[in-house]
Amino acid sequence: MRAVFLDASTLGNDVDLAPIERVAGDVMKHGATTSAQVTERIRGFDTVLVNKVMLTRKHFESCPELKAIAVVATGLNNVDLDAAREHGIQVLNVTNYGRSTVAQHTMALMLALATRLLDYDRDVRAGRWAQSDMFCLMDHPIMELEGRTLGILGYGDLGQGVAERAKAFGMNILLGAPPGQSAGETDGYARLPLEELLPKVDVLSLHCLLTDETRNLIGARELQMMKPDALVINTSRGGLVDEEALAHALRNRVIGGAGFDVLTEEPPRNGNPLLAGDIPNLIITPHSAWASREARQRIVDITAQNLASISG
């Protein structure tokens, strides 16, 4: 096996790549690769490791020796899968590595919004507590999660992890039926069509893939269906929610708040409607929900297993 890793720096410098190298040998590693460098860098290699670099039909046509692509992530939207199939290239990805860390981050966003953690922290740092005429501040309404209803859209490994943790907080769980999925029941939780789910939930947490069917799944119409104090959490993929519509909904108090770890463009070099400074009760984190060291090391270990399945 001759392998090249196009964007090794995306896994950080604190993970051990030895499990991959035990299977693939001495891997040629590039910290980052631009689109203009891809063809040159994969030529002569039969296996490519990649996280976010785009691999397209033109690359496969230029490199007939390429036999396998190991994506060190779950999403495959950076690989032209039809072209890979036509060229006999096997594509493998990593699943079930981030349940603990993504669920933890999801709950952190939910709790921070429900308790208005950042608002109160800013008030204290601005001296408002020191100027208060009583022992505490109560300017921002606090939501108690116990007894509230969490709607989970996308009940795979990550959605299940969030459900487990939310249940420990005493929340009631409902599941949403994304496009193409029928209503019913799973693990004792009712699965409802979106139109039925949204008016019932106090928190909506998104854990589904971004496809043509799920793009802008939550738009102005859907946000209007929700309770005025409802929260929307997205630790899945940017593009599931119409960002312009969400910014408008938050400014106009259509919903109570939102916590996002993902945006449609990452990094948001061209700006984003959600990055405006006048949007209340909104928390944005930089696609970091997956990035605990433990989770990143699991990615390495699972990738090594994937490569072993090829070489075997």
Side-chain angles (χ1 to χ4, degrees), residues 134-195:
M134 57 185 284
F135 71 97
C136 68
L137 296 177
M138 293 188 292
D139 297 337
H140 310 290
I142 295 170
M143 174 192 290
E144 193 171 85
L145 293 182
E146 185 170 2
R148 298 280 189 152
T149 298
L150 170 65
I152 297 176
L153 197 55
Y155 190 64
D157 188 58
L158 300 180
Q160 292 169 31
V162 171
E164 289 174 356
R165 287 151 180 81
K167 194 172 180 181
F169 275 87
M171 300 188 77
N172 305 310
I173 311 297
L174 290 174
L175 307 180
Q181 191 172 60
S182 59
E185 186 177 294
T186 303
D187 289 348
Y189 303 133
R191 186 186 298 277
L192 305 176
L194 211 53
E195 291 76 11

Side-chain angles (χ1 to χ4, degrees), residues 42-61:
I42 68 174
R43 187 171 287 127
F45 292 93
D46 55 54
T47 304
V48 172
L49 285 79
V50 64
N51 191 343
K52 300 302 179 190
V53 174
M54 299 292 295
L55 294 174
T56 66
R57 181 180 299 274
K58 72 173 184 178
H59 300 129
F60 307 150
E61 291 173 348

Side-chain angles (χ1 to χ4, degrees), residues 34-96:
T34 67
S35 58
Q37 295 171 318
V38 173
T39 300
E40 172 194 346
R41 288 187 172 180
I42 68 174
R43 187 171 287 127
F45 292 93
D46 55 54
T47 304
V48 172
L49 285 79
V50 64
N51 191 343
K52 300 302 179 190
V53 174
M54 299 292 295
L55 294 174
T56 66
R57 181 180 299 274
K58 72 173 184 178
H59 300 129
F60 307 150
E61 291 173 348
S62 299
C63 305
E65 61 274 27
L66 184 59
K67 302 301 179 188
I69 298 169
V71 179
V72 296
T74 300
L76 294 170
N77 53 300
N78 60 316
V79 179
D80 185 333
L81 296 177
D82 290 335
R85 192 178 305 111
E86 292 170 19
H87 286 78
I89 300 170
Q90 187 175 3
V91 181
L92 305 101
N93 64 334
V94 175
T95 59
N96 300 346

